[in-house]
Amino acid sequence: MVLLSVLDVILVVLGGAGMVYQAVCILISLFTKPVRFPEAPMDKRYAVLISARNEENVIGNLITCIQTQTYPKDLIDIWLVADNCTDTTAEVARGMGCHVIERFNQQLIGKGYALTYLLDRMNESGASDPYDAFFVFDADNKLDRHYFEEMNKAFQSGFKILTSYRNSVNLSDNWVSSGSALWFIRESRFLSASRMWLGNSCHVGGTGFMFSQEIMRRNNGWKFHLLTEDLEFTMDSVLHGDRIGYCGTAILYDEQPVTFSQSWRQRLRWSKGFLQVFRYYGPALIKRAIRERDFSAVDFTLLLCPFTVLGIARILLGLLFALCGFVTWQSQLNSLTGWTSGIVMSVVGMMGLAALTIIVERDHVGATNKELFAYVLSFPIYMFSYVPISFQAVFSKAEWKPIEHKG
């Protein structure tokens, strides 16, 4: 009885706090002006870090985007680690003027290990010394031609770590790609922009971010190897007292999975990675939130909290206690009825969130109105599929596996 009551309180209090915070962020984003950075001289030198595994079909697009920026081309160098490649990714990149380091390791698999290998080689040779900061992109990305110019403004305004606006090249392919794309657009428009206005730290996504030479040296290269290495990097930076900035005028496009099986596999890795990061960083974040009164730590504690897992645990425990006679079946049926009402409200809310995202970001969303209407209806299906994914993540051994990109 006590355990069930405690779980109920945790779910209501933390879940309610998370929903209120999300609503506040949406209102801030809608009724305040986004943070803009002043003009800055284009004189900083940047290194682009790319981890690529069998990406011969798409890597040329990203390299071309980088080489045709409004930022001076001679101040941007591209460093690519061809990670366990069996195709011509390395040759394509070399042919386009990139620095290429090949890595073959079937034991330590994943983007985090590849970035570690790349930066270790650069640091050992002194090749990393001339750079003021480092950008990280995925091989399937494309960039607005002003991307570096805009990120340079934010960097020169004082931020040591920055993330950017994440859009998609294939939002309109189907309901799977649209669900993922709308989620990232929502995060950029409603969360990152509002966190900047509030003075909080932002969340570094898996691609389209940068960190300074100082941060790289502090971390001795790249030390993050959990399944969600970007989230791990974010939590480590927050615990060091860094404020991660967001540059909404720097626009990146990536390719989303188009099959449900690919999306499931990717999100299973993310869900497992969230649990890993919560395990390793959750207690320290809570301590920082209390001791330092750091709202960014509160923010990310709510982000990491495994609400789905707690909810499923609450239902299973309720059924178990009813079977054992500790509580009545009627009380648990009443609880399930309340959960059902909550699910219905969540479906309506998710449709509204998807519709609002499309309305306010219509200029950035490439799809017909008919397609967008269908994607608003399908968005809750995409989101609710996280429930079984999150449950599976508790018991499965999710592994990093590449997603095939077509370009």
Side-chain angles (χ1 to χ4, degrees), residues 34 92 96 127 134 141 157 186 214 219 289 291 296 302 342 363 371-372 403:
V92 171
M96 299 184 72
F134 303 83
N141 296 161
S157 73
R186 172 211 60 89
E214 176 185 343
N219 293 331
R291 293 177 180 176
S296 290
L302 291 173
D363 292 342
E371 289 173 331
L372 293 176
I403 300 294

Side-chain angles (χ1 to χ4, degrees), residues 16-31 190-191 194 353 356:
M19 291 177 64
V20 170
Y21 178 61
Q22 294 269 338
V24 170
C25 285
I26 290 173
L27 291 174
I28 290 173
S29 177
L30 292 175
F31 297 106
F190 294 132
L191 285 184
S194 298
L353 181 59
L356 184 61

Side-chain angles (χ1 to χ4, degrees), residues 12 131 140 143 152 162 166 170 238 242 247-248 279 281 289 305 322 371 383 405:
V12 170
Y131 302 113
D140 62 293
L143 309 175
N152 176 69
L162 284 160
R166 188 170 179 178
N170 64 329
V238 169
D242 299 320
C247 183
R279 173 188 172 189
Y281 292 87
C305 186
E371 289 173 331
M383 292 306 303
H405 297 123

Side-chain angles (χ1 to χ4, degrees), residues 93-400:
R94 285 196 187 98
M96 299 184 72
C98 303
H99 303 278
V100 178
I101 295 177
E102 297 187 64
R103 174 182 181 265
F104 298 96
N105 188 322
Q106 296 297 332
Q107 285 71 50
L108 301 177
I109 297 175
K111 179 180 173 181
Y113 291 111
L115 289 176
T116 296
Y117 186 86
L118 175 58
L119 276 172
D120 283 351
R121 302 290 84 75
M122 292 174 67
N123 288 336
E124 289 168 1
S125 66
S128 61
D129 294 345
Y131 302 113
D132 295 288
F134 303 83
F135 284 82
V136 176
F137 298 119
D138 287 341
D140 62 293
N141 296 161
K142 293 181 181 179
L143 309 175
D144 178 84
R145 65 188 304 268
H146 299 283
Y147 186 93
F148 278 81
E149 181 181 353
E150 295 301 314
M151 289 289 274
N152 176 69
K153 294 177 186 177
F155 177 61
Q156 298 223 42
S157 73
F159 284 97
K160 298 176 183 177
I161 308 173
L162 284 160
T163 187
S164 56
Y165 186 104
R166 188 170 179 178
N167 206 326
S168 174
V169 296
N170 64 329
L171 181 149
S172 62
D173 279 4
N174 59 26
W175 71 276
V176 177
S177 64
S178 71
S180 184
L182 287 174
W183 184 254
F184 286 121
I185 294 173
R186 172 211 60 89
E187 182 175 49
S188 295
R189 180 63 170 84
F190 294 132
L191 285 184
S192 294
S194 298
R195 283 168 173 158
M196 280 292 288
W197 189 87
L198 290 168
N200 295 339
S201 187
C202 296
H203 172 212
V204 164
T207 185
F209 65 94
M210 68 174 291
F211 50 88
S212 69
Q213 174 81 231
E214 176 185 343
I215 297 297
M216 190 276 287
R217 294 296 175 187
R218 184 185 72 194
N219 293 331
N220 193 29
W222 185 263
K223 62 178 183 178
F224 310 103
H225 305 123
L226 297 180
L227 288 171
T228 47
E229 76 288 330
D230 55 327
L231 187 63
E232 184 185 5
F233 172 57
T234 299
M235 299 308 126
D236 181 81
S237 301
V238 169
L239 291 175
H240 275 94
D242 299 320
R243 183 186 170 207
I244 301 173
Y246 165 70
C247 183
T249 53
I251 303 174
L252 169 141
Y253 302 86
D254 67 352
E255 185 177 330
Q256 304 300 335
V258 294
T259 68
F260 190 66
S261 60
Q262 280 187 332
S263 176
W264 184 288
R265 188 171 73 242
Q266 183 186 64
R267 289 184 290 151
L268 177 62
R269 175 174 62 84
W270 291 348
S271 296
K272 190 71 175 182
F274 264 70
L275 293 175
Q276 290 178 337
V277 173
F278 183 75
R279 173 188 172 189
Y280 289 110
Y281 292 87
L285 280 173
I286 295 171
K287 289 180 182 178
R288 181 175 179 84
I290 296 171
R291 293 177 180 176
E292 304 293 333
R293 295 182 177 86
D294 184 352
F295 189 75
S296 290
V298 176
D299 184 348
F300 288 119
T301 298
L302 291 173
L303 174 70
L304 291 177
C305 186
F307 290 109
T308 301
V309 175
L310 290 174
I312 293 173
R314 167 61 182 84
I315 293 174
L316 294 178
L317 280 174
L319 295 176
L320 178 62
F321 282 16
L323 283 171
C324 295
F326 298 140
V327 296
T328 65
W329 283 104
Q330 186 60 47
S331 67
Q332 297 313 298
L333 287 174
N334 291 339
S335 296
L336 288 175
T337 300
W339 280 76
T340 302
S341 301
I343 290 173
V344 172
M345 292 300 296
S346 295
V347 169
V348 175
M350 287 179 188
M351 287 182 180
L353 181 59
L356 184 61
T357 301
I358 289 169
I359 291 170
V360 299
E361 294 296 284
R362 188 63 184 92
D363 292 342
H364 292 141
V365 177
T368 66
N369 290 334
K370 183 178 179 180
E371 289 173 331
L372 293 176
F373 179 74
Y375 298 151
V376 167
L377 298 179
S378 65
F379 188 67
I381 302 174
Y382 174 85
M383 292 306 303
F384 275 120
S385 64
Y386 264 113
V387 174
I389 289 173
S390 298
F391 184 75
Q392 182 183 351
V394 177
F395 304 101
S396 68
K397 184 181 178 181
E399 299 176 340
W400 188 93

Side-chain angles (χ1 to χ4, degrees), residues 1-10 313-314 317 321:
M1 288 289 290
V2 174
L3 181 57
L4 292 181
S5 298
V6 170
L7 280 174
D8 284 336
V9 170
I10 291 174
R314 167 61 182 84
L317 280 174
F321 282 16

